[in-house]
Amino acid sequence: QVQLVESGGGSVQAGGSLRLSCAVSGYGFSSGCMGWFRQVPGKEREAVGGTYIGSGSTVYADSVKGRFTISQDNAKNTLYLQMSNLKPEDTAMYMCAAKTFWPGGCLADISPRRFLFWGHGTQVTVSS
């Protein structure tokens, strides 16, 4: 049974930093394809970024490029999202997700519909 559990959210002032964690079990983490997403009530879920765990390759949404970094600890089966220079518009519920197959490449399409397993999320609130 695949389980994804996020943690690390909280409230921070604009310009601050947070590191989110996603603890993964029941999934082939070391060769997996995973992503971070966020959602604000009333809006569609959007991709923040994705990574192919096997190589460490990453892609990011333009809105977070240069501010957010995805990394992993294979020994702990944990995915991270380091967020810096946070802005009020980054306020959202943040979720990690995992794919089970990726024809055409892990990072070719990181839209939410391509991910099968999801965590429940952790809230990030950025105040101005």
Side-chain angles (χ1 to χ4, degrees), residues 3-14:
Q3 286 191 323
L4 309 177
V5 180
E6 301 93 338
S7 61
S11 297
V12 63
Q13 289 192 328

Side-chain angles (χ1 to χ4, degrees), residues 4-28:
L4 309 177
V5 180
E6 301 93 338
S7 61
S11 297
V12 63
Q13 289 192 328
S17 300
L18 282 173
R19 189 178 78 159
L20 306 183
S21 299
C22 172
V24 182
S25 60
Y27 178 71

Side-chain angles (χ1 to χ4, degrees), residues 36-48:
W36 282 99
F37 299 82
R38 64 187 183 187
Q39 189 167 23
V40 175
K43 292 191 175 182
E44 289 189 359
R45 188 171 297 181
E46 65 170 346
V48 172

Side-chain angles (χ1 to χ4, degrees), residues 19-121:
R19 189 178 78 159
L20 306 183
S21 299
C22 172
V24 182
S25 60
Y27 178 71
F29 183 80
S30 62
S31 59
C33 180
M34 298 194 65
W36 282 99
F37 299 82
R38 64 187 183 187
Q39 189 167 23
V40 175
K43 292 191 175 182
E44 289 189 359
R45 188 171 297 181
E46 65 170 346
V48 172
T51 184
Y52 176 53
I53 302 292
S55 66
S57 299
T58 54
V59 293
Y60 298 95
D62 287 343
S63 58
V64 306
K65 204 172 291 183
R67 300 188 298 121
F68 290 12
T69 303
I70 295 173
S71 63
Q72 74 259 19
D73 185 332
N74 286 13
K76 296 181 178 180
N77 279 9
T78 301
L79 187 71
Y80 301 102
L81 180 66
Q82 177 68 48
M83 306 184 294
S84 302
N85 191 20
L86 282 161
K87 304 176 181 181
E89 52 263 42
D90 295 319
T91 294
M93 180 70 75
Y94 283 73
M95 295 152 283
C96 60
K99 287 186 180 182
T100 54
F101 72 103
W102 42 94
C106 166
L107 303 178
D109 183 352
I110 60 168
S111 55
R113 67 181 185 276
R114 299 302 183 190
F115 290 78
L116 180 62
F117 299 108
W118 290 84
H120 291 297

Side-chain angles (χ1 to χ4, degrees), residues 8-12 18 20 122-126:
S11 297
V12 63
L18 282 173
L20 306 183
T122 185
Q123 178 68 35
V124 172
T125 302
V126 184

